Amino acid sequence: MTPSMMAQERGEPLLQSGNGAAGGGAKGSPPPSLARTVLKVLMWAVFLTWAAAIFFYPIKPAQAAFEGWMAATKQSLFGITGSIFLAFSAPILIVAALAYVYISAFPSDHIHVEKNKLKTLCFRLWTFPVLVDGPFGVVSAVEFIGIVLFIVYVVYSMTYYAVESVSLISKFGQISLTYSELLLYIIGLRFGSVGLFCMAFLFLPVSRGSVLLRLIDIPFEHATRYHVWLGHLTMALFTLHGLCYVIAWSLEGNLLGELAAWKEIGVANLPGVISLAAGLLMWVTSLHPVRKTYFELFFYTHQLYIIFVVFLAFHVGDFIFSFSAGPIFLFMLDRFLRFWQSRAKVDIISASCRPCGTVELVFSKPASLRYNALSFIFVQVRELSFLEWHPFSVSSSPMDGRYHMSILIKVLGSWTEKLRGIITDAQEQGRNGSESETGRITACVEGPYGHESPYHLMYENLILVAGGIGISPFLAILSDIIHRIEEGKPCMPKNVLVLWSVKKSNELSLLSAVDAQFISSSVSDKLHLDIQAFVTQESQPPLEEGIVGDDQKATGMFVKNGTTMSGLVGTGNNFWAGMYFAASTLGFVLAYALAQAYYVRRLNVFAWWHLGLVFVLCMAAGVTLPGGLVVLLWHLSEKRKAEDDRWDAAAAAVPRAQDGEEEAEQTTNGADAADGGVSLAAVKTTRYGCRPQFEAEFAAFAEKAGGGAADVGVLVCGPLGLQASVARECRSHNLGRRGGRRRRAGAVFHFNSHSFDL
């Protein structure tokens, strides 16, 4: 097969651009730096202004400026709600709009540019672990700064409000409330205000395909941690908010009456109680012990977020709700698009079980759907549950083929156990000669999501640390690196060390899932690969050691569900994603303007809860009507593109078959063997009854890589304990280098965690 045909078959990964179009000028030419800089500065200016407005909102100068803004803008058609929305919600939507322009104009796959990124202070802060042990897990320097800023904001705001409240109470005349009751009312109100601002940030990281996450290259598995942290903070503030009012009402002797009150003018208490109850259920079931033991309970109760948001709007009305409406709107955009993508029933090219208890699924995907080796997808199997979605790292490289994507699933719980049962039953029927029922696995897929930047391609020296099924994304990385070197594509890694810990030796057969099983001499000259496997629960090799590395998986079953994976994903086509955002935003503004002109004002609607309902309905209308129309056009465009790709593939297959290229391709491995190539099994060393000693392994690798002059990328996928151990060693080496302590190697280690496999 010629190099051009091979490139056509394998296709280009996500790294080229988000939508497959060339960007930034001719190949190899740098994009315009001035326009890039201007857009970056503009986005940062808008975001920092928005964050500063929230941070300084409690103080009197900020309050005076806000009152002036309100007086100047409240006479518009949108009234006070429009004024607040422009000040506290519109900025994040403006940043999102600029982000779509940025990622479309400046695709991120320029490996020569990304190499310089390693030297920037910002990147080093993102990859340097500051905290390793503690309630937050492994925390980088940037994450630590963010945690400190939020703590400072909450403490400073509540302290300022408390002092102000005491001063304010002293100015009150004769009122029916006691000092304690009045203080509880004011402090409770302030807890709710601070919680509302924290909620604005709560919805930003949970939008899986968010353009904002792509812009700053935060993968969703990291963003989920931020959502958890913010969720704890937000719910703690809202709980204190409700508790203050409950105590005050109890002191007044009217607790039940106030809890059931649903006022027309002012805050409606009963919707607030319902919203808080839904939030508390989500909060309690999301705690780690509950989530780990009862995942289904956590998953189902988390769907109460709809009740939480809608009744919050009823509780506070439209103008207070608009303080945090912008991030909620971005979440609605992402959720609606995911709903469209997840409706497609995806063809399963192969579903098989390995003897080590691992399931392999290979999904059909369109050639236009781009991803990289660090991506992951969410999978639903309708025979098991209509609501449950589980995330899995991809185990295939985008260089393996244009029309498929594979994942490895370790059987750990009831969901995965039932999935393996379906596959093994079908395989047993196949061995008995009976035909298995077509469509017994009705699979739907969301994604792919993950890192925007190809971190594994940015380092000349790369360490991959995996525990058990955590090897899955690293199989994709190994295949990606080998294929890119074979085809002469940009690829930095020259030295790669894999440290893989497993419990039993039968898990080592997972290495056979790598598409590139053979390393040709041309690749081995450019890449030094060392795979160190550690079998922790076996003290010596089994008797059948000779077949441990063989591919022992059973023949896969094919399931025809009718279509490939859908390309309707926020990380997909940048043009259509931007059009969807623009149409939905304009649709929301237009819907709210029409509602104000022809419904609210004409019918004299004044109830706060009613105005909150109108506001939420207008947000939903903007997303589902004009946004839905754009998504429909996007779907038709992807469908037509997929059909064209199939015709092109069929047409290209004919001359290849006539020229006998398939036979030539089959003899490639034999030719490479004659040239001195090696298999992956040949570069694997297995040790029994021990665990990797990270200090010694890291130091030896850094010494070979060039000592203090080397940048070493460390990626880890596995249990939290493994991540903490690796992060601790990375921090130790980096501090040893900077602090001048005696070390055998002084390389700089960049830590990245990746753990989403179930």
Side-chain angles (χ1 to χ4, degrees):
M1 182 178 289
T2 63
S4 61
M5 289 182 178
M6 185 180 295
Q8 182 182 9
E9 167 62 24
R10 297 194 190 280
E12 296 294 330
L14 172 67
L15 310 176
Q16 284 290 343
S17 70
N19 57 5
K27 183 177 181 181
S29 63
S33 59
L34 179 60
R36 179 193 290 266
T37 303
V38 169
L39 272 176
K40 276 188 174 181
V41 170
L42 188 57
M43 286 186 289
W44 273 110
V46 174
F47 177 79
L48 292 177
T49 302
W50 174 64
I54 293 176
F55 192 86
F56 294 109
Y57 180 76
I59 65 176
K60 290 183 179 179
Q63 289 282 334
F66 181 64
E67 290 174 2
W69 166 259
M70 294 270 287
T73 57
K74 68 180 182 180
Q75 300 302 324
S76 69
L77 176 64
F78 303 101
I80 296 177
T81 302
S83 301
I84 298 175
F85 187 88
L86 282 175
F88 291 98
S89 287
I92 199 65
L93 299 182
I94 293 173
V95 173
L98 294 174
Y100 277 113
V101 176
Y102 183 86
I103 64 175
S104 298
F106 308 109
S108 62
D109 184 38
H110 299 279
I111 304 300
H112 60 281
V113 175
E114 298 291 352
K115 180 182 178 182
N116 297 328
K117 187 177 179 180
L118 299 178
K119 301 178 181 179
T120 64
L121 175 62
C122 181
F123 183 80
R124 292 188 182 276
L125 291 176
W126 270 112
T127 58
F128 177 69
V130 174
L131 300 179
V132 175
D133 301 302
F136 296 102
V138 179
V139 177
S140 70
V142 169
E143 293 169 341
F144 179 75
I145 293 171
I147 292 171
V148 170
L149 286 177
F150 270 99
I151 293 175
V152 169
Y153 166 67
V154 172
V155 173
Y156 134 80
S157 297
M158 291 311 303
T159 302
Y160 187 91
Y161 281 139
V163 174
E164 184 186 49
S165 299
V166 173
S167 175
L168 184 64
I169 291 175
S170 63
K171 298 178 182 179
F172 277 91
Q174 295 294 327
I175 57 175
S176 60
L177 299 174
T178 65
Y179 180 87
S180 299
E181 292 168 356
L182 188 57
L183 183 62
L184 284 169
Y185 275 126
I186 296 176
I187 295 298
L189 175 65
R190 299 313 187 188
F191 273 125
S193 174
V194 176
L196 198 64
F197 282 126
C198 290
M199 195 184 76
F201 291 91
L202 176 66
F203 283 89
L204 290 178
V206 81
S207 303
R208 296 175 185 172
S210 170
V211 67
L212 299 178
L213 297 184
R214 296 179 62 193
L215 179 69
I216 54 181
D217 198 19
I218 296 180
F220 185 67
E221 66 266 26
H222 290 184
T224 302
R225 300 172 67 213
Y226 311 152
H227 173 72
V228 171
W229 298 344
L230 288 166
H232 290 319
L233 177 61
T234 302
M235 285 312 305
L237 291 168
F238 280 160
T239 301
L240 291 172
H241 162 74
L243 192 60
C244 286
Y245 279 95
V246 167
I247 296 174
W249 293 333
S250 298
L251 293 176
E252 290 182 41
N254 191 28
L255 176 60
L256 295 180
E258 290 290 351
L259 288 176
W262 193 313
K263 301 175 183 177
E264 295 287 311
I265 303 297
V267 172
N269 295 340
L270 182 57
V273 172
I274 296 173
S275 177
L276 181 59
L280 288 174
L281 274 174
M282 290 189 291
W283 188 22
V284 171
T285 56
S286 67
L287 298 177
H288 182 70
V290 180
R291 177 175 178 171
K292 183 178 181 180
T293 308
Y294 306 102
F295 179 82
E296 291 81 3
L297 178 63
F298 152 77
F299 187 88
Y300 292 138
T301 53
H302 237 63
Q303 309 312 309
L304 293 174
Y305 73 86
I306 300 175
I307 302 296
F308 175 74
V309 171
V310 171
F311 278 86
L312 176 64
F314 289 172
H315 175 55
V316 299
D318 58 340
F319 71 95
I320 298 178
F321 184 77
S322 61
F323 275 101
S324 58
I328 294 175
F329 183 71
L330 290 177
F331 172 76
M332 292 172 65
L333 286 172
D334 178 75
R335 188 65 190 89
F336 183 71
L337 189 59
R338 289 194 282 120
F339 173 81
W340 270 76
Q341 188 195 24
S342 64
R343 296 309 93 194
K345 300 175 183 177
V346 180
D347 292 338
I348 301 177
I349 299 175
S350 174
S352 58
C353 293
R354 295 175 179 270
C356 62
T358 300
V359 172
E360 182 177 29
L361 298 180
V362 182
F363 296 105
S364 173
K365 79 171 193 69
S368 59
L369 184 62
R370 313 269 174 176
Y371 71 104
N372 65 36
L374 292 173
S375 297
F376 66 93
I377 59 176
F378 284 80
V379 178
Q380 176 204 58
V381 177
R382 296 189 177 180
E383 283 76 11
L384 306 181
S385 173
F386 272 87
L387 292 179
E388 285 189 47
W389 291 83
H390 293 270
F392 300 99
S393 301
V394 300
S395 58
S396 60
S397 160
M399 307 296 293
D400 294 344
R402 303 176 65 193
Y403 301 103
H404 74 272
M405 177 190 297
S406 62
I407 59 174
L408 293 172
I409 304 172
K410 185 174 182 178
V411 177
L412 293 174
S414 60
W415 189 90
T416 50
E417 182 67 43
K418 293 176 183 177
L419 176 61
R420 182 174 65 175
I422 293 175
I423 296 174
T424 53
D425 289 347
Q427 291 175 337
E428 187 64 28
Q429 292 177 9
R431 282 192 290 267
N432 294 336
S434 60
E435 295 185 1
S436 60
E437 182 182 350
T438 302
R440 287 192 59 192
I441 302 180
T442 308
C444 301
V445 178
E446 280 186 17
Y449 307 108
H451 287 276
E452 192 76 7
S453 296
Y455 286 112
H456 62 290
L457 299 178
M458 293 164 52
Y459 300 93
E460 290 187 1
N461 309 290
L462 188 63
I463 299 178
L464 308 176
V465 184
I469 194 60
I471 194 65
S472 179
F474 298 156
L475 300 181
I477 287 176
L478 292 178
S479 183
D480 198 47
I481 292 173
I482 294 172
H483 281 316
R484 292 182 77 90
I485 294 177
E486 284 177 343
E487 300 179 19
K489 296 184 180 297
C491 185
M492 291 290 297
K494 296 179 181 178
N495 302 293
V496 178
L497 171 64
V498 181
L499 301 176
W500 181 22
S501 299
V502 297
K503 294 180 179 179
K504 301 293 183 179
S505 58
N506 61 358
E507 296 181 55
L508 299 177
S509 63
L510 292 177
L511 193 61
S512 63
V514 179
D515 179 76
Q517 280 294 304
F518 200 84
I519 304 177
S520 64
S521 57
S522 60
V523 174
S524 59
D525 291 341
K526 301 177 182 178
L527 174 67
H528 179 264
L529 175 62
D530 183 13
I531 302 176
Q532 299 286 336
F534 299 83
V535 183
T536 60
Q537 295 186 2
E538 293 179 2
S539 58
Q540 57 185 358
L543 295 177
E544 57 274 8
E545 181 185 10
I547 63 171
V548 165
D550 295 341
D551 185 1
Q552 304 177 45
K553 72 172 183 178
T555 303
M557 57 178 288
F558 171 74
V559 181
K560 179 69 174 177
N561 286 318
T563 185
T564 63
M565 291 173 56
S566 171
L568 302 180
V569 58
T571 56
N573 188 293
N574 291 333
F575 170 78
W576 283 111
M579 290 296 295
Y580 169 58
F581 168 80
S584 299
T585 305
L586 294 176
F588 162 49
V589 174
L590 179 61
Y592 192 65
L594 293 175
Q596 285 289 322
Y598 296 102
Y599 181 71
V600 173
R601 297 192 177 188
R602 178 168 295 184
L603 300 181
N604 194 28
V605 176
F606 60 88
W608 283 24
W609 70 267
H610 197 165
L611 294 174
L613 173 62
V614 170
F615 191 85
V616 171
L617 289 177
C618 289
M619 292 173 66
V623 173
T624 57
L625 296 179
L629 177 60
V630 172
V631 172
L632 177 61
L633 296 176
W634 185 358
H635 170 70
L636 295 176
S637 174
E638 292 289 334
K639 187 176 180 180
R640 184 172 60 253
K641 186 183 298 184
E643 292 175 354
D644 292 342
D645 287 339
R646 281 197 293 267
W647 279 105
D648 292 342
V654 174
R656 289 204 301 268
Q658 292 176 348
D659 295 339
E661 293 188 14
E662 294 182 355
E663 294 181 7
E665 185 178 1
Q666 292 172 359
T667 62
T668 301
N669 285 351
D672 288 335
D675 292 339
V678 296
S679 65
L680 282 183
V683 298
K684 174 174 65 70
T685 302
T686 305
R687 306 179 191 177
Y688 292 86
C690 62
R691 299 178 182 274
Q693 301 298 317
F694 294 122
E695 180 178 2
E697 297 286 355
F698 284 18
F701 181 81
E703 197 70 47
K704 294 178 182 178
D711 274 313
V712 180
V714 181
L715 276 70
V716 57
C717 185
L720 295 178
L722 177 65
Q723 295 183 33
S725 299
V726 175
R728 190 179 298 110
E729 191 57 39
C730 290
R731 185 180 63 177
S732 176
H733 273 275
N734 289 339
L735 289 177
R737 178 180 184 270
R738 295 171 186 174
R741 292 188 301 176
R742 189 174 181 181
R743 286 281 178 185
R744 286 177 292 173
V748 179
F749 288 82
H750 302 269
F751 174 84
N752 266 291
S753 63
H754 184 96
S755 57
F756 238 118
D757 300 274
L758 296 179

